[in-house]
Each structure stands twice: as C-alpha cells, then as structure tokens.
Amino acid sequence: MTMLSKFPHLRQDFLASVVVFLVAVPLCVGVAVASGVPAELGLITGIVGGLVTGFLPGSSLQVSGPAAGLTVIVFEAVTEFGVGTLGVIVLFAGLLQLAMGFLKIGRWFRAISVSVVEGMLCGIGLVIIAGQIYAAAGLEAPESGIGKIAGLPGAFADALGDTGALTSLAIGAGTIAVIVLWKRMPRAVRTVPGALAAVLLATVATLALDLPVATVRVEGLLGVVQPPGTEALGELAAPAIWGTIIAFALIASAESLFSAAAVDRLHDGPRTEYNKEMIAQGAGNTVCGLLGALPMTAVIVRSSANVAAGAKTKASRVLHGVWLLLFAAAIPWALALIPIPALAGILMHAGCKLIPFRQIAALWRDHKGEALILVITAVSIVAVNMFEGVLIGLALAIVKTAWEASHVKLEVIDKGAGPIQVYVSGNATFLQLPKMLDSLENLPQDRPVELDLSGLHHLDHACRTALESWAERHSAVGTEPVKFTSR
C-alpha cells in the first residue's frame, strides 16, 4: 500500500499547510506585538494550535492560533498582572473551556443566524483588508477597525511620497495579481496553490532585485518559554484575576465557535462537533498556559485560507504547526527571506473572499430584514470589535425573530350582506393584542361575525381570553353569536 493510497489527500493537505503557515506567521507575530508580549510567544501559540488542537476532533478544517480579537484584553491583563502571570490566566481559562466542553455547552452555538455569520465574515474581511494595506506599505496601522478604514486616504498620501512604501505596495499588489491570475494558468501549473506561488515569486523578486522591503524577523523561542511559577500562581488569590480568566474563556470560546460556524459555510466537508471543538480549544489553551504563551482561538483568516488552498483533512493544520516549529525554532533565518508585503497581499485576498457580495444582494431581494442584520453586524465589527459586533448581530436576530413570532395578520371581508368574515393568520400573542382588538371593535355592532382562526400558528392564552371576551360583548348587543373556526 502506497503512502498516497493510505492518505489520499496528503498532497492537498501538504500544500494547504504551507499556505496556512505563510498566513499564520504575520498573524502570530503581529498579535503578540499588539498584545505587549515578545513576538515569539505568538509563534508558540500558533505551534500549539497546530500540534495540539490540530490533532483533536471538533472542526476538521479550522485552524487555531493567537487572535486579533483578544489583543486588547491580553494587553490589559499583561499591564495589570505582568507577563509572568499571563500563563496562569491562560491555563485556568483553558481548564474552564474544558469544563464547558465536557458539560456540552458548546452545542448551543449551533443556533447562530446565517445573517450574523455572514456579517461576521464581512466585517472581519473589511478589517483585514484595511489593516493589511498598511502592512503592505510598511506603515503602522491604527488600532481600531474604523480607524484603519478612516486613515486609508492619509496612508495612501504618505505612501505616494515614499519610494520604499511604493515598492512595498507594488510587492503586495503583485502578490494579489498572481493569486487572481493563477486560476487561468494550465492545470499542471495550478497544482501549486496560487498563494504559495505568489509568495515564492515575491521572495525571488525581492532577493534578485534587492528591493528595500521589510521581511519577517524572528529570534529563538526557548528563551521566552516561561511556565507559571509559585509567585504567578499566588496571584489566583486576587478576585480581579478571576474576572480576567472568565473573560478569556468566554471570549475565546465564542470567537472559536462563531468561527466554526463560518468555516462550515465555506466547505462541504464534515460539520463541526461543537462540544468537541470546545474541548480542543480548552486543551490548546491549557498547554499554552503551561508554556506562558498567548491564549488561542480558532482564527477565521487561517481557516479560510486553509479551505481556499484545498485542505481536505486535519492534517493540513497539524502540518502548519510543524512548519511553524521547524522554521521559527530551528531555522528562523528562512523566515527573513519572506517579504511582509507578500504576506499582506495573501491576507488582503483572503479578506476579499470573506465578503459575501452575492449573498448580500440575494438577501436584499428576498429578505431585507436579514440583509440589514448582516450589514449592521459587519459595521459593528468594524466600529467596535468582533466579539461585541457579533453580540449586536445576535441581539438583532433575536429581536427580529421575536417580532416575526408575534406578527399577526387580520383580514376583514364584508360583502354587504350576510355575516362579516374575519380571517386571522400568523402568531397571535399578547404583543399584537391591542392591534387585534382595535380592528375587531371597529366592526359594526349590529352585524354577525364569523371569526376564522384556522390560519394561526399560535394563539396564546391572553389572546384567546381577549377574543372570547370580545365575542361575548359583540353577541350581547343583539346579533348572532360570533362563530369561531379554528384548527
């Protein structure tokens, strides 16, 4: 039995893992720096996301690592408690996630509105594109999503006057062009993923032409590994640290499971087992805590790149952890050959793929309420952050569902002779009771009424009691008793 017959998707997973590795490097380093910790801690979290979480069941194509959505809370925790205590916080957050997974809390995340998931993808895509434009130009990006977008005109103006920035932007734009045009290449050539080919070409061009662009720079990992010590464990006596631990666990779990729902919409493979995915994330964070590294979540950018690159099984995410360990720990000099604007180009292309242009147009034609939820979710993520933006979207989806659940239609047919026919359909709840009674009480008091309730999906006790009371009053003025028709 050959290797390919035993692992039929090995080639696709191998190539996808390289692409995900290339996408993961700037994310690991960037998130660590933004969190106020050494860049190597971000790489350690990425390695654990591949080698530990990647092996476990849950979501087969979702890739984990340090996430931008946690940078603010991590930075605040490091500022308040110190880098040495970060491992303790992450360790106990991971243990809490494990407990939630074993208690089967993760399954409740299956009840996520499609519009909210699409809105999350759209919002994340917009923030990624805006942020990576700065990276491609070698400029420092604002912290907030709205700041990134609002600052783009000024960033382009600064780049126009800087030859180095223009050169860097050209590398990023060329990377995107190669990825887009790669689909038109002969089939034999397309066996290499477009993103991988684009990075290789950008690297060769940068070296051959000696272009002045920034490249990835990483030092050794062993020096930054800091397992929790006795002093750090002593911080657990402070009530404030437990609030941070709970926040870490809840936000990391929410982002991971929201991401899982989004990734499931990007491929036709096995669906996520949410409770197992919660356990996998908890196991990864427990190991990260023991190493003193950053907390991890599932990262939609890496996951979407993994799917787009043709990954078929979890082998791709495990292998991406191997490449992170090999190149970042054993031969960090190899990373220095990769130009950052090329990696930014990959991320910008991935961000564009996350924006559901067709779905928005289709929703607006058929379900304007759902389209509005999608847009508001995306805007909220850009204006605030991913976690709170998704919560806003979920709240809107719940309000919309409650409104539809309480919507009732009352149709009056009066042919001038005979009884007045009233057809009631939808869901009759106390929320619509004033409207129903107003319509019924405006009917002529001296005419018989036939009230047809067969179109109702639901009639609550308050409505039934009110309708019966109205029927008694209407019949008391001398007309025939109101005739009810129901299921």
Side-chain angles (χ1 to χ4, degrees):
M1 180 179 293
T2 65
M3 180 68 72
L4 287 178
S5 62
K6 189 174 182 180
F7 302 99
H9 303 298
L10 181 60
R11 181 177 62 84
Q12 296 99 313
D13 289 333
F14 176 85
L15 294 174
S17 71
V18 176
V19 173
V20 177
F21 156 69
L22 293 171
V23 171
V25 169
L27 288 177
C28 290
V29 175
V31 169
V33 173
S35 301
V37 301
E40 291 81 0
L41 290 182
L43 288 168
I44 292 174
T45 299
I47 293 167
V48 173
L51 300 183
V52 177
T53 305
F55 265 118
L56 299 175
S59 178
S60 59
L61 299 183
Q62 182 163 256
V63 185
S64 300
L70 292 175
T71 52
V72 174
I73 190 171
V74 172
F75 182 84
E76 292 176 351
V78 171
T79 302
E80 182 176 358
F81 302 107
V83 178
T85 309
L86 179 62
V88 171
I89 297 173
V90 177
L91 169 62
F92 280 84
L95 294 174
L96 183 56
Q97 285 182 295
L98 286 172
M100 290 191 292
F102 285 119
L103 292 173
K104 302 187 183 303
I105 293 175
R107 62 183 178 176
W108 294 103
F109 284 84
R110 288 180 294 183
I112 300 175
S113 166
V114 173
S115 297
V116 175
V117 174
E118 297 285 5
M120 182 183 76
L121 290 172
C122 184
I124 292 172
L126 290 172
V127 174
I128 290 169
I129 294 169
Q132 292 306 310
I133 289 175
Y134 292 89
L139 302 174
E140 183 176 352
E143 294 183 2
S144 66
I146 195 70
K148 290 181 174 68
I149 294 176
L152 285 177
F156 280 119
D158 293 340
L160 289 175
D162 186 337
T163 303
L166 288 175
T167 302
S168 188
L169 276 175
I171 293 292
T175 301
I176 297 174
V178 170
I179 296 173
V180 173
L181 297 175
W182 199 254
K183 297 178 181 179
R184 301 182 180 180
M185 299 295 288
R187 185 173 181 179
V189 177
R190 284 188 282 113
T191 55
V192 178
L196 177 56
V199 168
L200 292 175
L201 290 173
T203 302
V204 171
T206 301
L207 292 173
L209 301 176
D210 194 22
L211 298 178
V213 297
T215 56
V216 178
R217 297 190 181 277
V218 180
E219 298 179 1
L221 301 181
L222 295 180
V224 298
V225 174
Q226 188 175 355
T230 305
E231 183 178 349
L233 290 171
E235 294 282 352
L236 293 173
I241 199 172
W242 285 100
T244 303
I245 290 171
I246 294 173
F248 270 39
L250 293 180
I251 294 174
S253 299
E255 289 201 17
S256 295
L257 298 181
F258 288 158
S259 174
V263 172
D264 280 351
R265 293 184 58 78
L266 298 177
H267 67 89
D268 298 324
R271 303 295 90 181
T272 296
E273 298 180 70
Y274 284 79
N275 295 319
K276 291 182 178 179
E277 180 64 16
M278 178 82 84
I279 293 172
Q281 295 295 325
N285 274 319
T286 299
V287 175
C288 285
L290 292 172
L291 297 174
L294 288 172
M296 77 164 56
T297 73
V299 184
I300 189 63
V301 182
R302 302 183 199 188
S303 303
S304 60
N306 189 38
V307 174
K312 300 298 181 182
T313 71
K314 68 174 65 175
S316 62
R317 60 185 190 177
V318 175
L319 286 172
H320 115 277
V322 173
W323 309 144
L324 282 174
L325 179 61
L326 176 63
F327 287 96
I331 47 175
W333 56 266
L335 296 176
L337 302 177
I338 303 172
I340 288 178
L343 300 177
I346 289 179
L347 292 176
M348 281 189 277
H349 182 263
C352 289
K353 300 286 284 185
L354 294 178
I355 301 176
F357 295 105
R358 293 182 180 178
Q359 290 87 334
I360 294 174
L363 277 177
W364 185 254
R365 286 194 304 267
D366 303 328
H367 305 283
K368 288 183 171 57
E370 294 292 331
L372 191 60
I373 291 174
L374 188 156
V375 172
I376 292 176
T377 301
V379 172
S380 299
I381 288 173
V382 173
V384 189
N385 57 52
M386 175 183 159
F387 184 67
E388 293 181 13
V390 170
L391 289 182
I392 291 172
L394 287 174
L396 289 174
I398 292 171
V399 170
K400 178 179 177 293
T401 301
W403 167 257
E404 291 178 344
S406 64
H407 184 68
V408 65
K409 180 181 179 181
L410 192 145
E411 182 180 6
V412 179
I413 299 177
D414 185 0
K415 297 180 179 179
I420 298 172
Q421 296 176 322
V422 181
Y423 295 92
V424 185
S425 59
N427 296 281
T429 68
F430 69 94
L431 296 174
Q432 296 295 328
L433 190 54
K435 175 183 176 181
M436 292 175 60
L437 290 178
D438 285 345
S439 299
L440 293 173
E441 289 171 354
N442 286 331
L443 296 176
Q445 296 295 310
D446 56 350
R447 299 273 303 282
V449 175
E450 292 182 357
L451 190 59
D452 189 343
L453 306 181
S454 60
L456 285 177
H457 302 297
H458 173 70
L459 177 66
D460 70 7
H461 178 71
C463 280
R464 178 175 291 279
T465 302
L467 290 176
E468 291 174 349
S469 177
W470 168 81
E472 291 178 1
R473 293 196 307 273
H474 187 82
S475 301
V477 300
T479 65
E480 298 178 10
V482 175
K483 293 182 179 180
F484 281 90
T485 301
S486 60
R487 292 183 176 182

